[in-house]
Amino acid sequence: MAVQRTFSIIKPDATNRNLTGAINAKFEAAGLRIVAQKRIHLTKAQAGEFYAVHKERPFYDELCEFMSSAPIVAQVLEGEDAIAKNREVMGATNPAEAADGTIRKEFALSIGENSVHGSDAAETAAVEIAYFFSGLELVG
Ligand code: CMP
């Protein structure tokens, strides 16, 4: 597999509990390199634009409220097969279904407050990275 980049967010439930370092340690232990990172506080409108694909879902408003409730850490992770590897390290969306040792199993509070977001495919990774970072900010 080739070296890939994927987009990651450490969500408000995790930044509130000071878990940025603990989560980054999981990424790095899995061989993912953090090649860009910034802590920002999204407006509800910005969160809504990022999650526009979920607009019709019943949890959309709750999701946008939550993602704009406190700072997030937006990141680009690089490594061999980075998209799949990141999804493995994150664990299932619902922490009740996440495997032992995964970020969501250890840290997530609920399906909504699930500590991290990660891109699900190469096309979404490219769009999500471009939403938060310029090319100059990606330092491999
Ligand atoms: P994420 O990977 O960021 O992508 C969309 C998010 O919507 C997902 O993680 C969850 O945090 C959230 N989500 C998915 N299903 C539900 C749900 N049933 N209720 C609340 N939030 C949800």
Side-chain angles (χ1 to χ4, degrees):
M1 228 309 169
V3 172
Q4 289 181 322
R5 285 175 172 172
T6 191
F7 179 71
S8 165
I9 293 177
I10 299 177
K11 296 187 179 185
D13 68 281
T15 62
N16 277 337
R17 289 176 289 149
N18 214 19
L19 292 172
T20 299
I23 290 172
N24 280 346
K26 293 263 192 200
F27 293 143
E28 293 184 343
L32 292 164
R33 182 175 294 273
I34 301 161
V35 298
Q37 176 166 262
K38 61 184 160 195
R39 181 177 170 100
I40 46 181
H41 195 147
L42 294 174
T43 64
K44 191 174 176 185
Q46 289 167 334
E49 195 180 338
F50 178 74
Y51 278 117
V53 66
H54 295 302
K55 212 170 199 149
E56 304 309 324
R57 304 282 190 95
F59 57 81
Y60 179 69
D61 189 65
E62 182 190 327
L63 175 62
C64 298
E65 276 288 348
F66 167 60
M67 291 300 290
S68 57
S69 66
I72 62 158
V73 178
Q75 309 174 301
V76 180
L77 308 178
E78 183 180 87
E80 285 284 327
D81 208 7
I83 294 166
K85 191 175 281 180
N86 182 37
R87 294 181 72 77
E88 202 181 305
V89 177
M90 288 192 299
T93 304
N94 185 347
E97 293 163 10
D100 285 348
T102 62
I103 291 169
R104 285 168 171 160
K105 175 74 176 191
E106 286 190 21
F107 302 126
L109 301 175
S110 65
I111 192 168
E113 299 192 36
N114 64 353
S115 302
V116 281
H117 164 83
S119 305
D120 60 2
E123 300 71 32
T124 37
V127 171
E128 292 177 356
I129 289 170
Y131 187 68
F132 284 92
F133 295 97
S134 77
L136 285 174
E137 294 175 305
L138 308 178
V139 183

